[in-house]
């Protein structure tokens, strides 16, 4: 029985992280509107999980956490593919942007999914090479682990900011955030009970706090609707999120 529970917990760790994105993916596909979802969430998770995999080479942790990162990267790429296709189809007569333009005003707001893949591969190659050079340094490895989990802890911040900017949570899947909260709570407890590296536990608690803040926004903006703040048309503000 104990072994079954252990396997169940490991399975939940591996696949539980992607479950919250299923309702959001379905909503975007059904409505053909991705405005309520911040693709910067995908950026945060891609960076965090790439760094976590690199951290594994310097300090081996449990296999379920490694597989969780691999599956999450695949899931975020699928989310990006859908969001990019939907956004481009709704933006007629808009100048196409690409990763090769190296225009920071349009960073992470490119017109083709392949541009996002190029960016991810470039980041993976550069950080992988740096990790290879410094793999013998325990300070570097521990710092890498902290950056990985701290970046993941910031997962909800782009969505939190987008909701604040819009003064609304319309278009965001509340089910997704509820699953974030329950999943992050389970994950944090899992880290503590399995004595994972301390960085995991600390940043897991921070992640739960951000999730709760987003849920508070859902209550606030649904109970007390607010007029959206008008923003001056500027590439950095209109395209960033």
């Amino acid at each position: 029985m104990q072994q079954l529970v252990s396997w169940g917990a490991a399975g939940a760790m591996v696949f539980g992280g992607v479950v919250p994105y299923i309702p959001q993916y379905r909503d975007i596909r059904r409505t053909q509107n991705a405005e309520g979802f911040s693709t910067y969430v995908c950026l945060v998770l891609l960076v965090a999980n790439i760094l976590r995999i690199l951290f594994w080479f310097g300090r081996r942790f449990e296999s379920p956490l490694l597989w969780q990162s691999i599956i999450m990267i695949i899931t975020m790429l699928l989310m990006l593919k859908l969001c990019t296709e939907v956004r481009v189809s709704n933006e007629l007569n808009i100048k196409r942007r690409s990763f090769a333009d190296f225009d920071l005003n349009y960073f992470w707001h490119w017109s083709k999914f392949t541009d996002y893949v190029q960016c991810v591969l470039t980041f993976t190659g550069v950080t992988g090479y740096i990790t290879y050079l410094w793999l013998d340094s325990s300070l570097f490895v521990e710092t890498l682990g902290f950056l990985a989990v701290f970046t993941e802890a910031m997962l909800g911040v782009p969505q939190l900011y987008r909701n604040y900017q819009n003064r609304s949570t319309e278009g965001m899947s509340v089910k997704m955030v509820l699953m974030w909260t329950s999943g992050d709570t389970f994950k944090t407890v899992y880290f503590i009970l399995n004595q994972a590296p301390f960085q995991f536990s600390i940043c897991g608690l921070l992640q739960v706090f951000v999730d709760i803040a987003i849920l508070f926004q859902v209550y606030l903006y649904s109970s007390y609707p607010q007029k959206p703040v008008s923003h001056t048309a500027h590439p950095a503000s209109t395209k960033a999120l």
Side-chain angles (χ1 to χ4, degrees):
M1 180 61 70
Q2 185 177 0
Q3 188 66 38
L4 287 175
V5 172
S6 177
W7 287 346
M13 281 300 302
V14 173
F15 297 102
V18 305
V19 173
Y21 299 96
I22 295 176
Q24 184 69 72
Y25 185 93
R26 294 178 63 185
D27 286 348
I28 294 173
R29 195 176 185 84
R30 176 177 54 83
T31 62
Q32 289 297 297
N33 187 343
E35 290 301 315
F37 176 73
S38 173
T39 55
Y40 274 68
V41 170
C42 299
L43 173 62
V44 169
L45 279 175
L46 284 168
V47 170
N49 284 282
I50 289 169
L51 292 179
R52 186 197 284 184
I53 292 173
L54 295 176
F55 176 54
W56 182 84
F57 287 100
R59 182 177 175 183
R60 301 297 172 89
F61 47 79
E62 290 192 336
S63 296
L65 298 179
L66 177 64
W67 281 107
Q68 181 197 51
S69 292
I70 295 172
I71 292 175
M72 183 61 75
I73 288 173
I74 296 172
T75 302
M76 289 302 102
L77 289 175
L78 291 174
M79 287 291 296
L80 273 176
K81 186 175 186 298
L82 176 64
C83 290
T84 304
E85 291 173 350
V86 169
R87 188 185 72 246
V88 171
S89 66
N90 292 333
E91 290 182 348
L92 302 178
N93 300 321
I94 298 296
K95 182 180 178 181
R96 296 300 185 241
R97 302 288 177 174
S98 69
F99 172 66
D101 292 337
F102 299 110
D103 187 346
L104 292 179
N105 289 327
Y106 289 91
F107 176 76
W108 211 249
H109 195 85
W110 302 305
S111 304
K112 294 183 179 179
F113 171 66
T114 52
D115 292 304
Y116 293 94
V117 175
Q118 291 174 19
C119 180
V120 170
L121 290 177
T122 301
F123 175 78
T124 303
V126 172
T127 53
Y129 181 68
I130 294 174
T131 301
Y132 173 75
L133 294 178
W134 291 88
L135 199 57
D136 293 332
S137 170
S138 59
L139 177 61
F140 173 82
V141 171
E142 293 300 325
T143 302
L144 184 65
F146 175 78
L147 288 176
V149 291
F150 181 75
T151 303
E152 185 176 356
M154 296 294 101
L155 162 66
V157 173
Q159 191 66 56
L160 186 74
Y161 177 73
R162 186 181 188 85
N163 295 341
Y164 169 77
Q165 196 175 42
N166 294 340
R167 296 294 193 272
S168 169
T169 57
E170 184 178 357
M172 181 197 73
S173 173
V174 179
K175 291 180 182 177
M176 177 186 72
V177 181
L178 288 171
M179 290 180 183
W180 275 358
T181 308
S182 59
D184 292 338
T185 302
F186 170 81
K187 182 171 62 178
T188 303
V189 173
Y190 181 90
F191 290 156
I192 295 173
L193 294 180
N194 287 275
Q195 298 180 339
F198 77 95
Q199 300 102 318
F200 285 66
S201 301
I202 294 174
C203 292
L205 291 171
L206 179 59
Q207 205 165 353
V208 172
F209 174 78
V210 175
D211 295 340
I212 293 174
I214 295 176
L215 288 175
F216 176 73
Q217 285 183 322
V218 173
Y219 165 77
L220 179 66
Y221 296 142
S222 61
S223 300
Y224 308 97
Q226 301 182 35
K227 184 178 180 180
V229 176
S230 59
H231 300 281
T232 304
H234 184 277
S237 61
T238 59
K239 299 293 185 183
L241 296 179

